[in-house]
Amino acid sequence: MKKIIENLNLMYGVTIFNIMSNYKDFNSSNTKEIETVAHRLNEFFKWLNKQDQINSQNITLIIPKLLEDSEILESVFDKDYSETDFYNKIIDKLKNIDIEQLNDDNDLEDEYYYLNYIDSDKKDKDVITFIKEKIYSSKLLYADLVMLLINNYEFPKKVERMVLNNWTIRFLNYLNLLCFELDKILNSDRENLYYGLLQLLEHQHIKSLLYPNMLRNYFDEIDAIKEIKYYIQGYILKALHNINKYYYIEHSKYNYNNSHLRLFERTNNDRDEFIESICNSLNTNQLISLFKFNNNYIDILQSDNKELNSIIKSLNQIPEITIYAQDVSKEYKDLIFDSFSFASKYCKEQKLKTIDCCLNTNYKADAIIDFITIIIQYNDFNYKIALSKFNLSYTWRIILKNTKTYKINLCLPDDFKHLVQVMINENRINTNLLLKEVK
């Protein structure tokens, strides 16, 4: 039965096997009958997970409450099963369950969150067999999702090549706790949790959590949760940073903007509060979209993308947040063109030797763009002068001989003259110093 159910690749496969194998009146070895009941239970749990007040975590507590009713349990295995009649029975049963109280009493034992380490005495088993036995016999809150990952996700290091026992148990613990921490953010059903988990597992730091260089001789749940929480927060911060390509985001309360990746590098209350404010302002679909923006997906987005616009609209509802589109306004487009025209004309008038003179008119939305690049050879040195955009700032800069950079904000077309004067003055200063040394 176990292999048949596992091959179905169901969202609630482990839970389904444990229910079916413990129901003594169902002892069929007929593959079709087993598949029928398994699919029936899986659809039931998916439907149940979408009911009011039921989420990915408390569904594990509610299922036993429902199935302790012998009439409901028998209905699942009834050959004359009617989905409509069965779901009506469940709705009536749910009315008698105080879900809010159940949530308040949700003080689960440690074994729901992690497995204890064991002595190394199981070397006769292959890793996959060992892992699956541990999952089936465990009370892990997210055993179903962990099993789905083991069977479907392509981990960077092949699971079957892992070191047996405590290394493998730590691997299972971190996957289960990863589900737990992500579930608190998404607060949704198991399908969304699983999809969000797949996005999260693509993050380099999350991957590194699963494959430590060293292993303690005990499992510290508190430290593990801190690690996982920290890297999930980093994942969200990187996603916001990637959005900087299209939108500049400021949060006044935390002196935050999304153009720098390493703000909130240290773990502190501000970081926790900031991430919480972001997550609370977004729905489940928006959060999962945000996770996608952590990866290369952001590179193919357009500024009118529906997913991105939906996130921006929701974040704009936070009073402390201000968001600016990275588009170049018509006013700046005109000023950039006029500045290039002035710079080209001025170089000719002053008989400056220009090695390169380029104007970029690709005004795509981006945080960093070079619009004008001019290279002037003066006194045996090539001076690079550029007009660039960095978020909301439009700035002229020149790189001097000592590799220092002189910058001024773009205001008028003839700002270019100031850069040329800095170039000339640097050479005058150097010449005066040389004359003094000769004397």
Side-chain angles (χ1 to χ4, degrees):
M1 183 190 296
K2 183 184 292 184
K3 192 65 178 175
I4 295 171
I5 294 173
E6 200 171 300
N7 287 340
L8 295 176
N9 215 29
L10 302 173
M11 182 66 66
Y12 295 88
V14 175
T15 300
I16 289 167
F17 169 75
N18 289 331
I19 291 170
M20 292 178 68
S21 60
N22 290 325
Y23 185 65
K24 295 178 181 178
D25 291 346
F26 185 79
N27 56 8
S28 174
S29 59
N30 183 285
T31 300
K32 187 155 184 64
E33 288 180 1
I34 294 171
E35 289 178 348
T36 298
V37 176
H39 278 298
R40 186 180 297 169
L41 281 168
N42 196 63
E43 290 305 307
F44 162 45
F45 296 149
K46 286 165 65 176
W47 170 85
L48 181 64
N49 207 174
K50 295 183 185 298
Q51 304 310 300
D52 291 342
Q53 296 183 295
I54 299 177
N55 55 43
S56 307
Q57 186 173 133
N58 64 21
I59 190 173
T60 309
L61 309 174
I62 292 166
I63 287 172
K65 289 278 186 185
L66 294 172
L67 296 183
E68 68 186 13
D69 185 317
S70 58
E71 182 185 354
I72 288 177
L73 185 58
E74 289 170 5
S75 297
V76 174
F77 296 92
D78 194 336
K79 290 183 179 180
D80 298 323
Y81 173 81
S82 166
E83 186 177 272
T84 303
D85 292 343
F86 180 70
Y87 287 179
N88 285 335
K89 286 181 185 178
I90 296 298
I91 289 171
D92 288 339
K93 178 73 174 176
L94 284 173
K95 292 175 183 176
N96 299 321
I97 298 176
D98 190 339
I99 297 177
E100 287 189 11
Q101 186 61 48
L102 194 66
N103 291 335
D104 293 339
D105 295 340
N106 186 5
D107 187 16
L108 298 176
E109 298 173 2
D110 290 344
E111 58 191 345
Y112 285 89
Y113 298 108
Y114 65 93
L115 302 169
N116 285 315
Y117 283 176
I118 61 175
D119 294 330
S120 302
D121 59 355
K122 303 287 184 181
K123 293 182 179 178
D124 57 317
K125 293 184 179 178
D126 68 88
V127 176
I128 296 295
T129 300
F130 175 78
I131 283 177
K132 290 185 177 180
E133 285 181 0
K134 297 302 292 184
I135 294 174
Y136 279 115
S137 62
S138 76
K139 289 186 178 180
L140 291 178
L141 202 58
Y142 301 96
D144 295 303
L145 296 186
V146 173
M147 183 67 85
L148 267 183
L149 288 170
I150 298 299
N151 285 332
N152 296 282
Y153 185 73
E154 191 171 330
F155 291 97
K157 296 182 181 179
K158 292 193 176 294
V159 177
E160 57 267 29
R161 295 180 184 173
M162 292 180 67
V163 178
L164 201 58
N165 294 332
N166 288 348
W167 287 91
T168 347
I169 287 176
R170 183 193 179 279
F171 181 75
L172 296 177
N173 286 344
Y174 267 74
L175 286 176
N176 190 66
L177 290 173
L178 196 59
C179 293
F180 173 65
E181 287 301 313
L182 184 58
D183 199 7
K184 290 196 294 186
I185 292 174
L186 295 180
N187 193 28
S188 183
D189 58 38
R190 288 284 174 110
E191 289 183 79
N192 280 323
L193 176 57
Y194 183 67
Y195 187 66
L197 196 62
L198 293 178
Q199 299 295 327
L200 204 62
L201 285 171
E202 292 301 308
H203 186 40
Q204 184 179 355
H205 289 140
I206 298 295
K207 289 177 183 177
S208 69
L209 285 177
L210 301 176
Y211 305 101
N213 293 323
M214 297 180 64
L215 184 71
R216 296 174 179 172
N217 57 5
Y218 64 94
F219 184 76
D220 190 323
E221 179 204 1
I222 294 174
D223 278 358
I225 287 177
K226 281 182 180 178
E227 271 189 302
I228 290 168
K229 183 179 177 181
Y230 180 80
Y231 284 125
I232 290 177
Q233 289 180 346
Y235 187 86
I236 293 170
L237 287 171
K238 186 182 177 188
L240 291 172
H241 173 69
N242 286 345
I243 290 175
N244 180 245
K245 181 181 176 79
Y246 299 99
Y247 291 96
Y248 176 70
I249 301 172
E250 289 182 334
H251 197 302
S252 59
K253 183 178 178 181
Y254 303 104
N255 193 27
Y256 166 86
N257 70 69
N258 68 333
S259 66
H260 297 287
L261 183 58
R262 295 194 178 276
L263 293 176
F264 296 119
E265 183 63 23
R266 297 181 181 87
T267 304
N268 51 39
N269 290 333
D270 280 353
R271 178 183 170 114
D272 292 347
E273 289 177 7
F274 173 75
I275 296 294
E276 186 177 354
S277 72
I278 294 295
C279 293
N280 287 344
S281 68
L282 303 177
N283 61 37
T284 301
N285 290 334
Q286 290 169 333
L287 281 167
I288 291 175
S289 293
L290 185 66
F291 292 163
K292 288 192 294 186
F293 299 158
N294 183 282
N295 304 314
N296 292 332
Y297 183 80
I298 190 73
D299 294 332
I300 62 172
L301 283 175
Q302 299 297 322
S303 57
D304 61 347
N305 180 272
K306 290 182 180 179
E307 289 177 303
L308 181 56
N309 282 348
S310 174
I311 290 172
I312 294 301
K313 185 177 180 181
S314 294
L315 292 180
N316 247 330
Q317 303 305 308
I318 302 176
E320 297 85 2
I321 279 185
T322 307
I323 301 176
Y324 304 90
Q326 294 282 17
D327 300 324
V328 182
S329 68
K330 184 180 183 305
E331 177 187 359
Y332 270 111
K333 288 177 183 177
D334 292 343
L335 184 52
I336 290 165
F337 184 80
D338 290 344
S339 297
F340 179 75
S341 297
F342 177 86
S344 302
K345 184 179 178 182
Y346 187 76
C347 286
K348 289 179 181 178
E349 288 175 350
Q350 300 301 313
K351 298 182 179 178
L352 297 172
K353 186 178 181 180
T354 57
I355 306 298
D356 195 10
C357 189
C358 298
L359 171 65
N360 174 20
T361 57
N362 183 4
Y363 299 112
K364 62 179 194 261
D366 208 338
I368 303 172
I369 312 174
D370 284 341
F371 294 112
I372 299 174
T373 303
I374 299 174
I375 298 177
I376 299 174
Q377 189 177 85
Y378 189 81
N379 205 12
D380 296 325
F381 185 79
N382 289 344
Y383 286 89
K384 182 179 178 181
I385 301 175
L387 173 61
S388 305
K389 171 185 181 294
F390 178 67
N391 291 319
L392 310 180
S393 300
Y394 292 78
T395 309
W396 278 107
R397 70 183 187 278
I398 180 171
I399 301 173
L400 303 174
K401 287 181 179 178
N402 57 10
T403 70
K404 289 184 178 180
T405 302
Y406 176 82
K407 296 189 291 186
I408 59 170
N409 291 331
L410 173 66
C411 297
L412 299 168
D414 65 358
D415 290 335
F416 179 76
K417 289 194 297 186
H418 297 291
L419 284 297
V420 172
Q421 193 60 51
V422 168
M423 176 186 75
I424 294 170
N425 288 344
E426 181 188 39
N427 285 277
R428 283 177 179 169
I429 292 170
N430 290 338
T431 302
N432 289 337
L433 287 172
L434 182 62
L435 290 172
K436 286 181 180 179
E437 288 178 7
V438 171
K439 286 180 181 180

